Amino acid sequence: MQPDDLARVLAPKLGENLLGVEPFEGMAGRVRFRREAALDLFRAVRDDLSFAHLSMVGGIDWVDHREVFYVAWSDAARQYVLLSTDVPATDAHVETASVIWPSANWHERETWELVDITFDHHPDLRHLLTPEGYAFHPLLRSFKIHEPEELEVKTRHV
Amino acid sequence: MATQAAIPFVEIEALRVKEFIPAAKEALSSLIAEQGQAKVIRPMFNWAGRNSLFPLHWGLACCAIEFAAGFGARWDAERFGVVARSTPRQADLMIVNGTVTWKVAHKLITLYEQMAEPKWVIAMGNCATGGGPFRTAYSVVPGVDKLVPVDVYIAGCPPRPEAMLDGILKLEQLIRERKE
Amino acid sequence: MSEMWINMGPQHPMTHGLWNLRVRIDGEVVLDVDPEMGYLHRGIEKISEDRHYNEVVTLMDRTCYVAGLAWEHLYILASEQALHITPPERAEYIRMTCEEFQRLGSHIMWYAAFVNDIGLMSPFLYGMRDRDLVLDLFQSFTGARMTYEFMRVGGVRNDLPPTFTYQSRKVLDWLTERFREYDQLCLGSSIFHKRCDGLGVLKANDCIRHGVTGPMLRSAGVKRDLRKDRPYARYAAVDFDVAVADGADVTARYLVRMEEMRQSIRILRQTIDWLDHHPGPVMAEQLPRWLGAPYAPVGREGYLLKRNYAKGLGFSAVEEPHGEAQAYVVNEGSEHPYRVKFRSPIFANLSAARQYLVGYRVADIPPIMGSVDPCIGEVDR
């Protein structure tokens, strides 16, 4: 499957919410879309393009905006596809993909707690990897981790 | 190297089981009367404790795989009397083998408190010793000695099973010298 | 009401790693399941943003500690795509050899732990003995038993020693015999069948909906293997079959993993033959100076920080012993990756726990979780 095939199927469904389909080596293509059309896109990708398996949902913090990306696999075409949308940093939310692909559930929990992107209508959006009540979103660029101070270590040799 | 606390040796001549127990009791009390409790009872307890260290069956991260390999046929840890126990109530050694995160810290301290005295802790690997390669991470405790008192540190990432056995033997040496 | 939530973990002999399986039970029957992860969350993706591309390889070993070389391979493939670097052919064959030996090591470790959970204690010792032979081979060319730090962007760190092919053939012959013994011990035991047949069933469409991959998916009859469907390294050039079974239960997963081990031996014989007859470089020649400083024939003066190099995105997917792992590397033109994101197969397999644990008994949980083969380092990263 080539990027043109993806565009041909998705453009009628999304209209101007499809921002572009770029080639990506090793994949069917990279589909950039507006977050308003998220559910339409997911449905089209799963049903019309038969990418039945959602492997990965992740977030990237680009400081002024954040990016949510999805990777799905098609058994028929034996290819991956990359879907990516930008959300503004002040209003970082997007519709959940877990109603379309249940495998997105835990990935979205992790993306929320690490990159602070809220997934609307997610059935169970709570902490997964970080402790309950952890107040930070560690993978944001504004969250700095520091090098340790020098420590004086006393050892006892037996 | 360290002073050997000799276990007292007493010969008991008894031919029947019924005679053995009173004879042993009498021999032991006369020994304690002679040499004092510290020199008789403490070495016996130390000998028993160091030759039957029961670690908690617990694996945190990569060092746990080398811990498991140490119980395999090549590096048989059980020949030192080391048998992993599933519950902390039956364990007297906690080998912290892997990275300690803040999320597990409370559970680790709970497990430590559930173990009965006397108990020891071995920090196995660089992560348990001082945070290891993950020291700069936001979720990692820089060394398990921030949470529980550690008796022996084993360096390595991961330490080979021989290093783990060496650490256990060093702990046995420490127990041999135990005074109270 | 006799329903209650109990904790199986984080300290539990069954868990194979640091996680908590909360089960709601009514007597012995499991009604609901809520896995609690994150006890080993070490922030690897965050730390990697401060590390040089080659330094992240050390963290990949520790991400999945029983399958370290597979995860190194995963990350290196994505980085090479993001950095626009191609490794030489011999390096790719060495990486394939590493990955298949790692698959053997990981599956033997799975076998040892799995049968120990069911109650067969002696195959645990046989498994550890045989796994030590594979680790000896790793030690001969990487220097370490478990955390190898062997692969680099552009190739591998060093070539194999001259005795490697001879020693590895002996190990493969030994293992072929031993796998017959493993089958006798397990499949020949009626207790094993009583404990494992029909347990933990996860049918094919449920697997795909919940993102389950690897031996769990193949045990449900779906013939998906990334080494065949989307070949990476030189898997297109070697001959092997995909291990598939019907039944989708614990016994089927056992059969799939045993067959995968036999196919790995088949692949290894071919790659070792190739390596014997095709000497060559193991590191790419035209490495950029800043990347290659200690490992390529350029001087250290090329090792400068925070310059602007060509940007790129890299995506790789590897058929890791536990399933399909993926890496997405964002290269924004400096010596440190801007973002690395990993997808762990066991993350998805454990997220589907409600599907294959509910309805069974508490005593069935260890065999089922053993067949899922959890390795928590890669789930929590």
Side-chain angles (χ1 to χ4, degrees):
Chain A
M1 224 186 281
Q2 299 294 323
D4 303 328
D5 305 316
L6 297 172
R8 207 177 333 116
V9 173
L10 294 173
K13 301 276 167 117
L14 271 76
E16 57 174 44
N17 283 323
L18 181 72
L19 295 172
V21 183
E22 294 150 13
F24 193 109
E25 195 196 319
M27 286 197 173
R30 182 173 177 223
V31 177
R32 292 184 304 111
F33 63 99
R34 285 220 181 89
R35 63 172 169 174
E36 289 81 24
L39 279 181
D40 296 326
L41 175 76
F42 298 151
R43 231 169 257 131
V45 166
R46 186 192 64 173
D47 299 328
D48 302 323
L49 292 168
S50 60
F51 283 93
H53 169 141
L54 184 76
S55 308
M56 169 154 75
V57 181
I60 306 176
D61 182 32
W62 294 108
V63 187
D64 54 350
H65 67 276
R66 290 174 203 159
E67 181 185 334
V68 188
F69 65 90
Y70 306 77
V71 174
W73 166 269
S74 158
D75 268 318
R78 305 212 283 186
Q79 270 183 318
Y80 286 106
V81 70
L82 179 66
L83 317 169
S84 126
T85 182
D86 288 330
V87 296
T90 45
D91 180 31
H93 68 96
V94 74
E95 196 67 33
T96 182
S98 56
V99 292
I100 313 280
W101 290 292
S103 52
N105 193 318
W106 273 24
H107 285 111
E108 290 181 346
R109 277 173 71 181
E110 184 198 331
T111 308
W112 165 71
E113 69 177 349
L114 293 180
V115 194
D116 193 16
I117 293 167
T118 312
F119 290 90
D120 303 326
H121 307 116
H122 189 279
D124 190 22
L125 199 62
R126 57 188 162 104
H127 286 276
L128 182 68
L129 299 180
T130 47
E132 229 177 275
Y134 193 65
F136 304 100
H137 298 279
L139 252 63
L140 291 175
R141 292 311 259 198
S142 49
F143 184 85
K144 303 266 185 232
I145 53 180
H146 303 284
E147 289 298 307
E149 318 86 34
E150 292 300 322
L151 263 187
E152 228 188 281
V153 178
K154 293 195 175 94
T155 51
R156 174 181 157 220
H157 291 282
V158 179
Chain B
M1 218 174 31
T3 51
Q4 290 261 11
I7 300 171
F9 181 77
V10 160
E11 229 178 273
I12 299 180
E13 273 182 51
L15 297 174
R16 279 185 216 119
V17 172
K18 264 200 259 188
E19 295 169 13
F20 177 78
I21 293 176
K25 256 171 113 170
E26 205 212 292
L28 203 58
S29 351
S30 64
L31 207 61
I32 292 177
E34 261 176 62
Q35 300 191 21
Q37 196 161 5
K39 286 192 90 175
V40 177
I41 303 293
R42 175 49 44 197
M44 285 170 62
F45 270 74
N46 286 350
W47 169 82
R50 72 170 184 268
N51 282 314
S52 66
L53 285 168
F54 288 175
L56 182 62
H57 187 147
W58 198 29
L60 284 87
C62 341
C63 287
I65 307 293
E66 294 291 59
F67 170 76
F71 284 83
R74 201 187 268 194
W75 286 288
D76 192 13
E78 293 197 10
R79 62 193 150 120
F80 298 112
V82 167
V83 176
R85 307 299 295 169
S86 303
T87 159
R89 304 291 187 191
Q90 296 169 355
D92 56 4
L93 170 64
M94 181 158 80
I95 300 187
V96 182
N97 45 24
T99 323
V100 186
T101 57
W102 291 111
K103 191 164 181 174
V104 86
H106 172 73
K107 311 262 159 107
L108 190 147
I109 297 176
T110 308
L111 284 166
Y112 179 74
E113 289 174 354
Q114 284 179 333
M115 288 162 60
E117 291 283 346
K119 56 189 169 186
W120 297 277
V121 174
I122 292 183
M124 177 180 176
N126 289 353
C127 288
T129 306
F134 306 102
R135 193 186 169 88
T136 56
Y138 49 87
S139 57
V140 167
V141 180
V144 75
D145 52 6
K146 308 279 186 287
L147 304 171
V148 294
V150 174
D151 295 287
V152 173
Y153 296 87
I154 308 177
C157 191
R160 292 181 60 102
E162 295 109 303
M164 180 188 83
L165 294 177
D166 184 46
I168 291 177
L169 290 175
K170 284 205 162 58
L171 180 63
E172 292 188 9
Q173 191 67 32
L174 280 174
I175 297 173
R176 186 193 286 269
E177 300 165 5
R178 217 168 157 242
K179 293 284 188 289
E180 86 295 329
Chain C
M1 291 296 274
S2 58
E3 288 180 17
M4 55 179 170
W5 281 97
I6 61 170
N7 283 331
M8 295 180 85
Q11 186 272 323
H12 194 285
M14 170 282 290
T15 47
H16 305 305
L18 207 58
W19 61 297
N20 189 5
L21 181 65
R22 304 185 59 233
V23 287
R24 192 166 121 234
I25 55 173
D26 176 12
E28 277 287 314
V29 178
V30 175
L31 298 174
D32 197 8
V33 148
D34 178 26
E36 211 174 60
M37 321 305 308
Y39 288 103
L40 198 56
H41 177 59
R42 298 175 277 194
I44 288 178
E45 296 177 356
K46 181 77 180 182
I47 303 177
S48 304
E49 294 173 8
D50 283 331
R51 298 273 187 276
H52 193 259
Y53 278 93
N54 277 333
E55 290 173 351
V56 178
V57 170
T58 58
L59 298 173
M60 301 320 301
D61 280 321
R62 290 144 179 94
T63 305
C64 181
Y65 26 89
V66 292
L69 282 169
W71 278 74
E72 283 188 31
H73 196 187
L74 170 77
Y75 163 75
I76 290 291
L77 285 172
S79 299
E80 284 174 348
Q81 186 181 352
L83 294 167
H84 319 290
I85 290 172
T86 323
E89 199 180 0
R90 189 176 166 87
E92 296 194 299
Y93 269 91
I94 293 179
R95 287 177 185 170
M96 275 207 302
T97 310
C98 290
E99 189 171 322
E100 291 306 314
F101 267 119
Q102 191 69 83
R103 193 180 313 274
L104 280 176
S106 170
H107 281 339
I108 295 174
M109 181 80 210
W110 159 80
Y111 174 81
F114 170 62
V115 297
N116 200 20
D117 280 344
I118 296 177
L120 299 167
M121 308 286 193
S122 17
F124 167 78
L125 295 171
Y126 295 160
M128 296 314 271
R129 170 199 65 187
D130 297 331
R131 181 171 166 266
D132 275 330
L133 295 173
V134 175
L135 296 185
D136 282 344
L137 281 180
F138 283 137
Q139 197 181 326
S140 71
F141 68 91
T142 65
R145 284 162 48 89
M146 228 170 72
T147 46
Y148 319 95
E149 289 133 34
F150 179 61
M151 298 191 193
R152 299 283 184 269
V153 177
V156 294
R157 183 184 69 201
N158 53 265
D159 205 342
L160 305 169
T163 53
F164 177 78
T165 48
Y166 168 70
Q167 284 174 332
S168 44
R169 285 194 187 103
K170 283 176 73 173
V171 170
L172 293 176
D173 290 336
W174 168 266
L175 286 176
T176 316
E177 276 305 306
R178 295 281 75 75
F179 292 156
R180 262 178 235 145
E181 198 178 64
Y182 290 179
D183 270 345
Q184 275 178 328
L185 284 168
C186 290
L187 296 178
S189 155
S190 60
I191 300 178
F192 179 88
H193 282 289
K194 278 215 179 88
R195 279 214 77 177
C196 295
D197 279 350
L199 233 56
V201 172
L202 189 64
K203 295 258 191 268
N205 55 345
D206 277 331
C207 281
I208 295 177
R209 281 176 63 232
H210 286 93
V212 170
T213 54
M216 283 190 79
L217 180 66
R218 287 193 282 279
S219 75
V222 178
K223 195 171 178 178
R224 187 200 303 173
D225 187 329
L226 281 178
R227 296 172 290 168
K228 283 275 193 216
D229 293 334
R230 185 184 183 265
Y232 51 94
R234 296 282 162 150
Y235 277 107
V238 292
D239 216 10
F240 66 102
D241 295 320
V242 174
V244 177
D246 292 312
D249 61 357
V250 172
T251 315
R253 285 169 210 144
Y254 169 90
L255 292 170
V256 165
R257 288 198 179 95
M258 293 302 293
E259 184 57 31
E260 276 184 17
M261 287 204 267
R262 292 191 187 96
Q263 295 300 321
S264 287
I265 294 184
R266 192 170 154 196
I267 299 175
L268 280 166
R269 291 196 202 276
Q270 297 169 56
T271 58
I272 291 171
D273 277 336
W274 189 97
L275 286 169
D276 250 349
H277 296 114
H278 295 88
V282 293
M283 180 62 85
E285 307 246 311
Q286 302 299 326
L287 280 180
R289 292 178 154 239
W290 65 269
L291 184 68
Y295 307 116
V298 294
R300 283 187 75 89
E301 67 274 7
Y303 193 66
L304 298 161
L305 286 175
K306 305 289 188 221
R307 288 296 195 87
N308 280 324
Y309 306 108
K311 302 191 182 184
L313 294 171
F315 174 82
S316 66
V318 146
E319 187 70 34
E320 206 235 329
H322 309 283
E324 285 171 24
Q326 291 155 20
Y328 185 61
V329 173
V330 177
N331 164 29
E332 277 294 295
S334 79
E335 282 85 3
H336 307 296
Y338 188 82
R339 172 89 165 99
V340 289
K341 167 89 174 88
F342 299 106
R343 185 256 188 198
S344 148
I346 302 176
F347 190 82
N349 294 1
L350 286 181
S351 70
R354 216 171 251 146
Q355 314 299 320
Y356 54 76
L357 279 180
V358 170
Y360 298 101
R361 293 186 157 65
V362 171
D364 295 331
I365 295 180
I368 301 177
M369 291 322 299
S371 74
V372 170
D373 193 10
C375 172
I376 301 300
E378 60 174 81
V379 177
D380 289 346
R381 273 159 282 127

